[in-house]
Amino acid sequence: MPDISTFLGNAVGVTHMGTFPGSTIPNNQTVKGALQALETAVEGGSSGDALNDADGDTSVEVERGTDDDTIRLTANGTDVSTLTDTESSIVTVGGGFLMGVSDTNLGGFGLPGAGVFAELGTVRAINGAVDFGGAIASANLINDTATGEQYGVIANNAAGVLVLYEDTTGSQTRWLLPNTVHAMIASVNDVPVMSLNDQGGDVRSVTIQNGASAAGETTELRFQELSSNGSNYVGLKAPDTVATDVVWTLPDADGQKGQVLSTNGAGTTSWVTQGLTPSGEQATNFTATPNVLNLVDTTAGPVTVTPPSSPAPGDRFGVSDSRANAATNNITVDFVTAGDNFHAASVNYNLSADREAVEFVYADSIVGWIVQ
């Protein structure tokens, strides 16, 4: 008996286990009664069962009420995460973030205000579509004390607006999701500037919008130089008035040197060889200017034309008898002295007919210049 008494921690002759500081095993239980209470607590469970810390304000709790079907993680007396058969959520206390997932809500966003979390917006799945709903005052945005700017997510279901940023003056950069026009629109200072559109079928478009009314203020598409080189740019813009919609389809490959982009009048473009523009007349020997039609006056006598120096494949120049005297006073294009071939031979070309005009194109170092 003394050995059993020592093992149980009780005096000889005592008929119960005495008192326990916790609540799981009732006081004054027999050994069997104490073990039964422990088994019931571990295996049976009941509404409100929890694992608590010393002061009871942090716990993992199963079913706060009868048939609650909820598991809660509580810190400092506040539920920070809940799990149910239909939804779950995570809240960072004081950190300004709330996320929730349920049968209809894909996610929520929130900020703490006045000690509680204020929901800034939810993302809901409705018949397979995504809808932004909820609303909140700008007072609940995050303030950046360094820049004086405010950041946040504000959803306005009626207008289909999701505000991503707001500064101290109230101007906003918005992504709009209007359900009826199948477009996502970006706006600055509440003025639409760009939209991503579903035109129906497999047609998609990106539209640069404009809210101005003054002449010359159509929106510009700018391409900036490397930031290390400065802040200059090149750009494109629409005219103030467009009579009808037009879209130009680009060629499927690059053109040849000197070619220009031309349209067929129906929106399809291609690379074409542009006609040479006439230059000023020359009445004495000269070196031809590339990519122009060099006019030659042989009224006073024959004229020798030297081809452009250091030609590259695709370079062009033209020669024309502008005064109709070439039959009397020839025009000689001197390829030999220039060290260039003409049709793969070291020969010159003579214009010997009145009003004769010839265009030359450089092929390569072997073939040299050829007649276009």
Side-chain angles (χ1 to χ4, degrees), residues 219-238:
T219 305
E220 299 174 350
L221 177 61
R222 299 179 179 181
F223 303 90
Q224 283 195 295
E225 63 182 333
L226 292 174
S227 58
S228 57
N229 290 334
S231 58
N232 293 326
Y233 60 87
V234 296
L236 299 169
K237 61 184 299 184

Side-chain angles (χ1 to χ4, degrees), residues 10 15 65 98 135 233 255 259:
N10 290 323
T15 60
L98 168 66
Y233 60 87
Q259 288 188 315

Side-chain angles (χ1 to χ4, degrees), residues 335 342-343 349 357-362 368-372:
F335 295 113
F342 177 66
H343 284 268
Y349 185 90
V358 180
E359 180 180 345
F360 303 95
V361 178
Y362 188 77
W369 296 92
I370 61 175
V371 174
Q372 175 69 23

Side-chain angles (χ1 to χ4, degrees), residues 1-283:
M1 292 296 294
D3 292 338
I4 295 177
S5 175
T6 302
F7 173 73
L8 296 176
N10 290 323
V12 176
V14 174
T15 60
H16 54 75
M17 300 293 294
T19 59
F20 291 88
S23 60
T24 301
I25 301 177
N27 294 330
N28 303 323
Q29 290 290 307
T30 63
V31 173
K32 181 178 179 180
L35 293 175
Q36 183 62 58
L38 182 61
E39 179 185 42
T40 300
V42 172
E43 297 183 0
S46 62
S47 298
D49 284 352
L51 300 177
N52 299 279
D53 65 349
D55 58 1
D57 64 353
T58 300
S59 64
V60 178
E61 182 179 8
V62 179
E63 290 201 333
R64 185 167 293 169
T66 301
D67 203 25
D68 182 36
D69 296 330
T70 301
I71 299 174
R72 294 178 174 84
L73 303 180
T74 303
N76 196 27
T78 301
D79 292 345
V80 295
S81 180
T82 60
L83 301 173
T84 72
D85 60 345
T86 60
E87 66 180 14
S88 62
S89 66
I90 300 174
V91 178
T92 59
V93 179
F97 177 70
L98 168 66
M99 182 179 71
V101 178
S102 69
D103 289 347
T104 57
N105 290 325
L106 301 179
F109 305 89
L111 294 172
V116 299
F117 277 90
E119 184 180 3
L120 294 183
T122 59
V123 184
R124 295 191 293 269
I126 302 177
N127 296 328
V130 177
D131 171 54
F132 289 86
I136 198 167
S138 60
N140 289 312
L141 294 172
I142 301 173
N143 292 290
D144 186 337
T145 56
T147 63
E149 295 175 334
Q150 295 177 305
Y151 299 89
V153 177
I154 301 179
N156 184 325
N157 189 39
V161 177
L162 172 63
V163 182
L164 301 179
Y165 160 78
E166 178 169 322
D167 65 22
T168 53
T169 64
S171 61
Q172 299 170 340
T173 298
R174 293 180 172 178
W175 286 101
L176 313 183
L177 300 173
N179 295 328
T180 57
V181 298
H182 305 290
M184 176 177 285
I185 306 171
S187 64
V188 178
N189 298 338
D190 288 330
V191 176
V193 294
M194 185 180 72
S195 64
L196 308 178
N197 311 288
D198 182 354
Q199 304 297 123
D202 293 329
V203 180
R204 306 291 185 268
S205 67
V206 178
T207 302
I208 300 177
Q209 296 172 304
N210 186 277
S213 57
E217 292 188 354
T218 54
T219 305
E220 299 174 350
L221 177 61
R222 299 179 179 181
F223 303 90
Q224 283 195 295
E225 63 182 333
L226 292 174
S227 58
S228 57
N229 290 334
S231 58
N232 293 326
Y233 60 87
V234 296
L236 299 169
K237 61 184 299 184
D240 289 348
T241 302
V242 180
T244 186
D245 296 339
V246 59
V247 175
W248 291 284
T249 301
L250 295 173
D252 59 2
D254 195 6
Q256 297 177 359
K257 182 177 180 179
Q259 288 188 315
V260 297
L261 194 63
S262 177
T263 178
N264 66 350
T268 299
T269 62
S270 60
W271 298 108
V272 298
T273 300
Q274 186 180 28
L276 297 175
T277 301
S279 68
E281 281 186 325
Q282 300 285 345

